[in-house]
Amino acid sequence: MSNIIELDHVTKKFKNKLALNDISLTIAENKIYGFRGPNGSGKSVTFKTILGFVRPTTGTVKVEGKIIRKDVIFAPDTAFAISEYGLLEDKTGLENLELLKVLNEDQSSDSKKIMQRVGLNPNNPLKLKEYSLGMRQRLLIAAALLGDNKIIILDEPTNALDEEGQDFVAKLILELKQEGKTVLVSSHDKEFLDQVADHIFVFSEGRIVKEIEKQSGLA
Amino acid sequence: MHSLLLNRNFHLFLENIKYRFIVAYSASAAILLINRFNGLTAKDVFAGAYQIPPSFSFPLEWYFFALAIFLMIGDNPRSLLKAYLPVHRVMLKEYLATIYGLNFFLVGITVTTWYLLCPGSLLFYFESLLCLLALSALFASLQLFIDPVLVLMIFATLFALVITFNDFPFLSVLMALRWTSHQLDNLCGSLLTLVISFGMTHFLYYVDFA
């Protein structure tokens, strides 16, 4: 199984704060990787570095063989649910997805089906600004499912979701793996990651302090 | 350019600038109308100042007009890039082109309004337009890297320096009193500013988006 993402001695400093401290990791195709740790431990910054939103202070990030911020500015073939990048507050969920779809010249995705897949009603007339936190979370995941990206990065996807919502996210992640995707998911919920991930990186103060390899996720 | 992207960003642009635009645009229109009612022409309103030491004059009206467009644009370029860029959905260059295009549109309608409300030399207005278009591109490019408030302060300082020094290059063309002696400066200055502004986008590889 080939490595689709490689981080080599990556550090990231924000002013005087060391957010990532010598992170090296490899991500193989078609597996689920969990990133666990308390808030501020470096999980989100790692994701943003992989995506190309953040430039590493030192070290290199490779995604599909391309060096981020050298060969390309943003990671290729990667979708994400990190924050409301690119989503418009005064549009409905469906309008937001349709707009992203058209901008992406994506003919294959069916926005309505994707909304239903994440448990949202595509006919809901509410605008994004009227969405609850849980609905926003689901819409972010829906946006990440647009297109046919090989890598999907989900940052704290269970935040603001009730127990039923968390089970749904776990099921969805396992389905994505079955579809051949590589999923990177962060959470501070140990149980949730134990349930879905094949491999877990435990973060603390910008470092990976532990790696846990599992036989397989609960498929 | 992707028309849907332009349309989307146009709505975000309007939403972002609407209050600043209403205030600055109305204020500039009101000043021009009052001056016109008092029998003054563009040559008087946009006269600026020619310093003859030891006296020093500060043309507040000119200063306001010089800064008005940048007050309207505000932090819009940075906000469009850092908060609303649909990463992976559109080409970054195409997206940046919409940001510059929207700035140019705002400069165009504002300067045209000034001309209609207070007619004067068409060549003077045209050269002012050219200069302001180039400056709006620089204003947008700078705030991709620096805090927009700081960029506005840089521009405010720059225009204060233009007032202070009679031979200030390029930007002196915005003053009707100095305009004729700075025409060549303007063309070269505008082109150079545009090249620098667009060239700066290459350095986006070195900035954080989040």
Side-chain angles (χ1 to χ4, degrees):
Chain A
M1 205 176 280
S2 62
N3 291 329
I4 198 164
I5 300 172
E6 291 172 32
L7 270 70
D8 185 24
H9 298 291
V10 170
T11 60
K12 178 64 191 176
K13 246 184 175 179
F14 291 110
K15 292 183 180 162
N16 293 323
K17 190 181 179 274
L18 195 59
L20 296 182
N21 187 359
D22 197 26
I23 300 284
S24 293
L25 59 86
T26 53
I27 302 286
E29 269 187 272
N30 194 208
K31 286 177 87 174
I32 300 169
Y33 287 83
F35 288 64
R36 199 176 82 207
N39 289 341
S41 59
K43 307 181 301 286
S44 296
V45 182
T46 303
F47 283 172
K48 287 176 181 173
T49 311
I50 292 170
L51 284 162
F53 293 170
V54 162
R55 181 175 176 259
T57 309
T58 60
T60 53
V61 178
K62 265 191 200 173
V63 178
E64 289 197 321
K66 306 254 187 222
I67 300 176
I68 305 301
R69 295 303 182 103
K70 190 177 173 204
D71 301 333
V72 287
I73 196 160
F74 298 119
D77 219 356
T78 309
F80 61 90
I82 282 197
S83 61
E84 287 114 12
Y85 281 111
L87 295 182
L88 308 181
E89 292 287 327
D90 63 347
K91 300 269 181 211
T92 66
L94 185 64
E95 284 168 349
N96 262 298
L97 292 192
E98 282 293 317
L99 187 57
L100 288 176
K101 200 182 118 177
V102 178
L103 288 176
N104 204 21
E105 293 172 4
D106 170 11
Q107 310 292 330
S108 58
S109 302
D110 184 333
S111 307
K112 284 188 178 177
K113 273 191 183 162
I114 289 175
M115 282 193 78
Q116 283 163 346
R117 189 177 182 190
V118 298
L120 289 174
N121 174 7
N123 300 317
N124 190 335
L126 289 182
K127 297 192 186 312
L128 181 59
K129 61 187 171 195
E130 296 160 327
Y131 269 32
S132 67
L133 283 175
M135 288 168 79
R136 277 173 179 264
Q137 194 67 266
R138 286 172 190 255
L139 187 67
L140 276 175
I141 296 170
L145 299 182
L146 281 174
D148 189 24
N149 294 290
K150 268 192 199 164
I151 306 164
I152 297 187
I153 295 180
L154 306 172
D155 191 19
E156 306 276 2
T158 53
N159 267 6
L161 294 182
D162 54 19
E163 203 172 318
E164 189 194 338
Q166 291 186 14
D167 288 344
F168 145 77
V169 174
K171 191 168 157 262
L172 178 74
I173 289 171
L174 293 169
E175 281 173 11
L176 290 171
K177 185 190 171 188
Q178 281 171 358
E179 290 166 18
K181 315 278 187 199
T182 305
V183 184
L184 278 63
V185 54
S186 73
S187 178
H188 41 247
D189 183 341
K190 185 175 179 296
E191 258 180 54
F192 169 75
L193 287 183
D194 285 345
Q195 189 188 349
V196 297
D198 300 316
H199 191 111
I200 297 172
F201 297 104
V202 183
F203 278 70
S204 176
E205 296 178 350
R207 301 182 77 105
I208 295 174
V209 291
K210 195 176 173 188
E211 280 190 59
I212 305 161
E213 178 79 49
K214 286 168 56 191
Q215 288 290 327
S216 64
L218 292 175
Chain B
M1 196 184 289
H2 205 307
S3 60
L4 186 73
L5 180 65
L6 189 61
N7 190 25
R8 166 197 187 267
N9 285 356
F10 179 67
H11 283 101
L12 288 170
F13 177 76
L14 284 186
E15 189 59 34
N16 181 291
I17 70 163
K18 64 184 176 193
Y19 298 116
R20 294 191 304 270
F21 176 76
I22 290 167
V23 172
Y25 188 83
S26 315
S28 68
I31 292 169
L32 288 170
L33 285 172
I34 292 167
N35 279 307
R36 192 174 176 181
F37 183 73
N38 290 333
L40 299 175
T41 64
K43 210 175 166 183
D44 307 306
V45 181
F46 296 101
Y50 196 88
Q51 308 297 349
I52 303 170
S55 65
F56 177 80
S57 63
F58 195 92
L60 260 181
E61 264 185 16
W62 180 88
Y63 193 63
F64 168 73
F65 280 108
L67 273 177
I69 285 168
F70 307 104
L71 290 169
M72 291 180 210
I73 295 172
D75 68 343
N76 187 69
R78 189 183 183 88
S79 155
L80 270 181
L81 184 76
K82 297 213 167 181
Y84 292 105
L85 170 66
V87 182
H88 296 120
R89 313 285 179 195
V90 294
M91 300 267 290
L92 185 60
K93 278 183 183 168
E94 197 178 16
Y95 193 80
L96 287 170
T98 64
I99 294 177
Y100 291 117
L102 290 167
N103 276 1
F104 291 167
F105 169 74
L106 181 72
V107 174
I109 57 161
T110 307
V111 174
T112 306
T113 308
W114 292 350
Y115 175 72
L116 294 173
L117 293 178
C118 189
S121 161
L122 193 57
L123 191 60
F124 169 70
Y125 270 111
F126 177 73
E127 292 203 19
S128 298
L129 174 68
L130 198 64
C131 176
L132 289 168
L133 286 175
L135 286 177
S136 76
L138 183 66
F139 188 72
S141 292
L142 279 173
Q143 58 175 268
L144 303 180
F145 306 94
I146 311 172
D147 190 283
V149 176
L150 194 61
V151 180
L152 189 62
M153 284 166 67
I154 292 170
F155 271 58
T157 310
L158 204 61
F159 288 124
L161 290 173
V162 176
I163 290 171
T164 310
F165 300 104
N166 290 330
D167 290 322
F168 198 96
F170 177 37
L171 300 181
S172 284
V173 78
L174 291 171
M175 287 188 182
L177 268 178
R178 304 183 198 169
W179 163 57
T180 48
S181 58
H182 288 83
Q183 282 175 314
L184 188 63
D185 272 8
N186 184 30
L187 191 62
C188 298
S190 299
L191 289 174
L192 188 65
T193 308
L194 282 171
V195 170
I196 292 170
S197 306
F198 297 146
M200 281 168 74
T201 58
H202 177 73
F203 294 97
L204 279 174
Y205 272 76
Y206 300 97
V207 301
D208 291 337
F209 284 79

